[in-house]
Amino acid sequence: MRESVLRVVAVHPELLGTYGDFGNAIVLVQRALWRDIPAEIVEAKSGEPLVRGGDIYCLGGGEDGPQARSALELRSDGALASAISGGAALFAVCAGFQLIGESFTGPDGKRQQGLAILDMRTRRGPGLRAVGELASFASEDLGVDSMSRILTGFENHAGHSDLGAGVAPLGKVLRGVGNGSQASEEGAISGRVIGTYMHGPALARNPALADLLLSWIVGPLDPIEGEIEEETGSLRESVLFGVGDRRRARRRRSLFSKRPFGLRRRSGVAGE
Ligand code: GLN
């Protein structure tokens, strides 16, 4: 059992809390506690120096104004970038993802500097705001297998993000917009930093990602006793194949008839 308490820092929840991404911190702590790893959430409020000594920092989504304010504060504080270079992990969603890049579009439409933790630039997307379900197929490097490689969430953003040469996408878009790049990329992964456009909260819908973040800090993890993948598996199916229209869902499902990603189906799936 780990001696010290694992500290999960929820950064600026009052600015970056519009989409319920605080849930990611709750999931990380709960999945640690279920394994008898002592863990706690620390809230890092805006207007105060950023909490030092965190193991995993979480940034959530928010509107353009609060996003710009959070970026300004975190840049002048400097502690987040130092924590990451010192070995802490970072999970950043949407506005949080955009602000850890080199630059993003501010509320006035002008380019604003980000924290430069990731080699990535975010611009205003050309078309309508991306709003809806988002599913992607996770990169192999993540080391998660079969069904867990399909990641799902919902997206709601105007910005599109272009990754620099040294940053790998978290996955390839199967449904939705994601980064809005030519190569259908979703999110980013670099060292112990993960960025994504998935709300949900993403770590509740994709527990394999939560365990990946935890394993970077505490090492290999035991499976959680009694945990079943059925619920998140059904959710993945409904995001991929649609709900409500049984014929369309069945037709799309036949494209995946060999279930290449290890999808399982059970009675009672929404839309059946
Ligand atoms: N304000 C950003 C955008 O619209 C991020 C939105 C979000 O966090 N969902 O692109």
Side-chain angles (χ1 to χ4, degrees):
M1 190 165 130
R2 191 182 146 105
E3 292 299 312
S4 58
V5 177
L6 179 97
R7 299 180 91 205
V8 177
V9 183
V11 180
H12 297 173
E14 69 284 52
L15 297 177
L16 303 174
T18 314
Y19 298 87
D21 299 316
F22 190 86
N24 291 321
I26 297 174
V27 170
L28 286 166
V29 165
Q30 189 57 58
R31 294 184 74 80
L33 293 175
W34 277 334
R35 294 169 165 116
D36 294 329
I37 299 166
E40 65 180 14
I41 298 180
V42 183
E43 283 189 48
K45 298 247 163 64
S46 102
E48 294 171 10
L50 185 73
V51 173
R52 270 69 175 162
D55 293 298
I56 305 177
Y57 287 81
C58 296
L59 295 175
E63 288 120 350
D64 293 356
Q67 171 180 346
R69 197 172 130 201
S70 177
L72 269 177
E73 269 189 42
L74 293 171
R75 254 176 68 78
S76 64
D77 179 291
L80 186 57
S82 331
I84 305 312
S85 30
L90 172 60
F91 185 65
V93 180
C94 204
F97 175 35
Q98 295 178 2
L99 71 80
I100 61 168
E102 298 282 339
S103 62
F104 62 91
T105 311
D108 54 3
K110 296 203 181 109
R111 208 175 71 95
Q112 181 170 335
Q113 266 190 302
L115 306 190
I117 290 173
L118 278 186
D119 180 7
M120 174 187 81
R121 278 145 209 85
T122 298
R123 57 195 155 80
R124 274 267 189 277
L128 293 174
R129 196 175 172 82
V131 181
E133 299 286 355
L134 175 60
S136 63
F137 192 49
S139 316
E140 213 164 333
D141 326 339
L142 251 62
V144 290
D145 55 13
S146 69
M147 189 161 67
S148 306
R149 274 183 76 183
I150 296 177
L151 307 174
T152 73
F154 70 90
E155 61 185 337
N156 188 339
H157 56 103
H160 283 190
S161 302
D162 301 307
L163 305 181
V167 182
L170 184 64
K172 282 268 178 202
V173 174
L174 296 170
R175 178 177 176 187
V177 174
N179 296 359
S181 59
Q182 291 266 316
S184 302
E185 294 163 336
E186 201 301 299
I189 180 162
S190 172
R192 290 181 170 181
V193 177
I194 293 180
T196 179
Y197 275 104
M198 292 183 295
H199 299 292
L203 299 185
R205 291 176 61 151
N206 308 284
L209 269 191
D211 285 355
L212 179 66
L213 286 155
L214 288 172
S215 71
W216 286 341
I217 305 300
V218 303
L221 295 166
D222 295 329
I224 291 169
E225 215 174 299
E227 185 176 38
I228 46 167
E229 264 277 328
E230 288 283 326
E231 293 307 325
T232 50
S234 302
L235 187 59
R236 284 185 189 100
E237 275 210 332
S238 63
V239 170
L240 278 175
F241 304 121
V243 287
D245 180 342
R246 295 175 60 177
R247 257 176 316 170
R248 201 182 54 193
R250 205 172 296 133
R251 239 188 347 260
R252 284 204 211 144
R253 194 173 290 133
S254 69
L255 294 173
F256 288 80
S257 56
K258 292 203 169 64
R259 303 197 169 271
F261 310 135
L263 287 172
R264 279 179 289 164
R265 190 150 59 96
R266 59 169 198 164
S267 57
V269 170
E272 288 291 306

